[in-house]
Amino acid sequence: VSAICTHLGCTVNQTDKGFHCPCHGSLFDPNGAVVGGPAPRSLAWFAVSRSRDARLVIDTSQLVTSEKYMVV
Amino acid sequence: MLNRLWKDFQRTAVGRSIFRVGLPASNLERAQAALSSFFLHLQPVKVHRRTLQTSSTFGLGLISLYLFIILAVTGVLLMFYYVPATEHAYNNMKDLEFVVTAGQVLRNMHRWAAHLMVIFVALHMCRVFYTAAYKPPREFNWVLGVGLFLLTLGLSFTGYLLPWDQLAYWAITVGTNIAGYAPMVGEKVKFVLLGGHSVGESALIRFYVLHVILLPSLAFVMIAVHLWRVRKDGGLARSDEPATTEEVLQQAELPHTKTYGLMELARGTTPAVGTRPEEEVFAWPHLVFREMLLFMATTALVLVTAIFWNAPLEELANAVHPPNPAKAPWYFLGLQEMVSYSAFWGGVVIPALIVTALVALPYVDRKRRGVGVWFSEERRVAIAIFTICLMAAVTLTVIGSVFRGPNWAFQVPWKPSVSVGP
C-alpha cells in the first residue's frame, strides 16, 4: 500500500487504527480506505512481484485492489 | 568641513551637471528641485496637508515599499552565499548561521521583512478599503494592488522553499498538489512548477528563478506603475476632491480675486488642477523628510527584530517523513485550514473567488460615497461584508495556527495533546 496521501501528497504515518496524515488530518483504515478527513480516494495499492533474481519489485505504474495478494 | 567640500563640489561643472539645483532655499527652487531630480520627481512638487497626516494612511503603503527595498538588498546579499542545489541549500543556511559574519542576522532580516511585508501589504489593503480609496478614478490602481498582494504571497512562498528544510520540501509537495486540483490545467501547471513529476532539484531551481528574478522584476514594475498611478489619479483620496473630468473642469474655474504665476505647463487635465493652493505644502522638505524618517524607522524595526529573534529553520528535508503536524508559515495557515476540509474547494475555488471579488470590487462598488473618510456611515453594507470576510480569514488563520496539533487534530493551545510518534 502506498504511504502517499491522496489529498495533497504528504507521507501518512502508521497508527493503531490505520494511517493518519500529519498535514491535513486525513484518516485511513489499515487497508487504506478513507475513514475521515479531506482525502478524496483510498491509498493506492501497487502490484508487487518477484523478479528473477529473487528481489521484490514494486510497480508504481500498476494499481491493484487491496484484495489482491502476491502468491509466493 | 564636509559640508563646505560638498557645497564646493556642487558648484563645479561636474557637480552642476549632476545636481541642477542645489539644496533649495526658496519655493521656486523647491519646485525646480522636485522636477529636475530623478528621485525627487517621483514625488509631487506639492502635497495636500491631509496627505501628511498620520491618520490618513498610517504610512502603510510606504512601509510596504520600504520592506520591499530592504528585501531586495538583503536578498542580493544572500545570493552571494546561497546555492540552489538540494545537496547545498541546507548547508548554506548552516554556513550563514555559523560561518558567515552576521550571516544569521542577514537571513533573519530577510525573513522577518518578508513576514512584515505580508502584514503591512494586508493592512495597506484594509486602509484603502476602509477609506474607500479604490473608487473611481482609482479602480485600476486597486487592481494593481491586488496583484501586488498576490505577488507578495508568491514571493513569500517561493522564498521559504529555498532553504530545503522540512518546511520547504513539504510546502512544495502540498503547494504543487493544490495547483494539481485546478480544473483542466491543474496537472500541467503542477508539471511546469516541479519541472517533472516529483519534488527535487528541478523544482528547487525553478522556485529559485521565480524568487530571485521573475517575481521581483514583476513586482518592481508593478510597484512603479502603482506609485505612478497614485499621482496620476490625483494623489491621496480626499472627500472634497473632484470625481470626474467634468467636475475637474468646473472646479478649475478658480476664484478671480487671486493672482497666479505660471509655474509649469502641464498637458491635459488632472484632478490636481482644482485643488486649492493654500492647502498644499511643498513636498521638499515636508513629505521627503517624513518619508526618510519612516524608512529609517522601518529599517530599525527589521534590524531589531532580526537581532533578537532567529528565522525559523527546520530539519533537513526528508522525503520519507513530513513533520507532525506539518504547518505552513502563519500567513498560509488559513489556507491550510480550508484545504484540510477540501483541497478543491479550499485550495482552488475559494481563493479564486476571493481574488475575483477583490478585482471586481472597484467596478461593482462605483458610487463615490465616503471617499477619503474612515469607516464612512454611507458605506455600511460594503464595510460590513468586507469586515466579515476579514474576520473569517483571521479566524481561520488563528485556528490553523494554535488550534491544530499533531495529525492536524483539533486541540486547545493551553492543553497541547501529547505528540504522536511517526
Side-chain angles (χ1 to χ4, degrees):
Chain A
V1 63
S2 162
I4 298 171
C5 180
T6 54
H7 179 229
L8 291 170
C10 291
T11 309
V12 294
N13 295 318
Q14 196 163 12
T15 61
D16 306 338
K17 288 174 212 146
F19 304 96
H20 215 149
C21 178
C23 294
H24 305 94
S26 289
L27 199 59
F28 303 91
D29 72 8
N31 278 328
V34 184
V35 180
R41 289 184 308 280
S42 317
L43 294 176
W45 284 74
F46 296 128
V48 180
S49 59
R50 204 177 63 170
S51 70
R52 236 172 266 158
D53 53 350
R55 280 192 288 190
L56 272 181
V57 176
I58 300 171
D59 186 352
T60 55
S61 65
Q62 208 183 332
L63 297 177
V64 294
T65 57
S66 57
E67 286 87 46
K68 214 165 174 181
Y69 290 94
M70 184 177 78
V71 189
V72 187
Chain B
M1 169 67 184
L2 270 175
N3 208 14
R4 274 255 324 267
L5 268 177
W6 176 246
K7 284 210 166 125
D8 288 344
F9 170 72
Q10 279 191 332
R11 268 195 287 274
T12 62
V14 180
R16 269 182 290 137
S17 74
I18 302 172
F19 308 99
R20 302 268 179 226
V21 185
L23 273 178
S26 67
N27 281 351
L28 177 66
E29 280 176 8
R30 285 191 186 106
Q32 282 174 335
L35 291 170
S36 66
S37 154
F38 173 77
F39 292 102
L40 287 178
H41 100 281
L42 300 173
Q43 327 277 351
V45 174
K46 294 183 94 178
V47 285
H48 197 273
R49 281 184 198 283
R50 201 176 157 275
T51 305
L52 297 178
Q53 277 169 18
T54 312
S55 63
S56 301
T57 61
F58 295 102
L60 297 169
L62 275 178
I63 295 174
S64 307
L65 169 68
Y66 297 152
L67 289 168
F68 182 79
I69 295 171
I70 293 170
L71 282 163
V73 172
T74 53
V76 168
L77 291 175
L78 285 170
M79 282 175 74
F80 285 118
Y81 302 101
Y82 179 77
V83 181
T86 49
E87 67 267 38
H88 294 303
Y90 190 75
N91 290 336
N92 292 155
M93 295 303 116
K94 291 293 177 189
D95 282 351
L96 281 171
E97 189 176 348
F98 297 111
V99 183
V100 180
T101 308
Q104 181 72 43
V105 174
L106 180 64
R107 191 168 93 85
N108 293 349
M109 280 184 78
H110 195 71
R111 180 66 69 99
W112 297 138
H115 282 226
L116 285 171
M117 190 168 163
V118 174
I119 298 176
F120 278 100
V121 168
L123 286 176
H124 175 55
M125 194 174 219
C126 293
R127 191 283 290 175
V128 172
F129 179 84
Y130 286 122
T131 57
Y134 57 86
K135 301 209 172 190
R138 297 182 179 79
E139 312 98 302
F140 185 64
N141 221 12
W142 165 269
V143 176
L144 284 175
V146 174
L148 282 166
F149 177 61
L150 295 179
L151 271 179
T152 308
L153 292 179
L155 279 162
S156 304
F157 182 72
T158 52
Y160 70 71
L161 305 180
L162 302 182
W164 209 247
D165 58 351
Q166 279 283 65
L167 173 69
Y169 186 89
W170 294 102
I172 297 188
T173 305
V174 170
T176 52
N177 271 316
I178 292 179
Y181 272 87
M184 321 239 270
V185 292
E187 283 301 317
K188 296 263 182 248
V189 171
K190 183 182 161 187
F191 183 81
V192 169
L193 284 174
L194 288 180
H197 288 291
S198 57
V199 178
E201 184 55 59
S202 49
L204 179 59
I205 195 82
R206 272 164 201 241
F207 283 107
Y208 175 72
V209 173
L210 280 175
H211 186 74
V212 302
I213 284 291
L214 271 177
L215 299 182
S217 320
L218 201 57
F220 181 83
V221 174
M222 279 176 72
I223 289 171
V225 180
H226 195 62
L227 294 174
W228 183 78
R229 291 288 303 229
V230 170
R231 287 192 54 196
K232 293 292 162 181
D233 293 341
L236 204 63
R238 298 197 318 272
S239 48
D240 58 342
E241 70 179 359
T244 59
T245 325
E246 294 87 73
E247 280 180 64
V248 171
L249 290 173
Q250 278 166 17
Q251 283 206 12
E253 286 174 22
L254 297 160
H256 300 287
T257 48
K258 291 193 70 157
T259 348
Y260 292 89
L262 183 66
M263 295 298 288
E264 182 197 8
L265 284 174
R267 259 190 305 164
T269 51
T270 68
V273 173
T275 51
R276 305 261 149 80
E278 56 267 33
E279 286 177 45
E280 307 237 315
V281 291
F282 275 94
W284 178 286
H286 299 280
L287 178 63
V288 176
F289 176 75
R290 283 168 171 81
E291 285 175 348
M292 289 299 120
L293 203 64
L294 194 59
F295 183 58
M296 284 193 273
T298 310
T299 312
L301 173 69
V302 173
L303 192 58
V304 168
T305 320
I307 287 169
F308 286 104
W309 288 279
N310 276 345
L313 181 67
E314 295 185 1
E315 322 220 308
L316 177 64
N318 178 350
V320 182
H321 280 296
N324 192 359
K327 284 194 178 189
W330 63 267
Y331 41 86
F332 282 134
L333 285 179
L335 185 68
Q336 189 170 358
E337 177 66 20
M338 289 199 297
V339 165
S340 79
Y341 298 104
S342 162
F344 178 64
W345 291 99
V348 179
V349 178
I350 296 179
L353 280 178
I354 294 173
V355 173
T356 313
L358 285 174
V359 169
L361 171 71
Y363 299 101
V364 177
D365 182 22
R366 294 182 60 83
K367 281 203 191 104
R368 282 190 54 87
R369 281 183 307 199
V371 172
V373 183
W374 280 94
F375 309 107
S376 167
E377 287 272 314
E378 298 166 284
R379 299 173 57 233
R380 254 183 245 121
V381 180
I383 287 175
I385 295 172
F386 186 85
T387 310
I388 289 169
C389 295
L390 191 64
M391 285 299 126
V394 173
T395 310
L396 284 170
T397 305
V398 171
I399 293 178
S401 306
V402 294
F403 289 96
R404 291 295 181 181
N407 289 332
W408 202 247
F410 194 83
Q411 65 164 29
V412 278
W414 49 92
K415 223 164 68 183
S417 51
V418 191
S419 167
V420 227

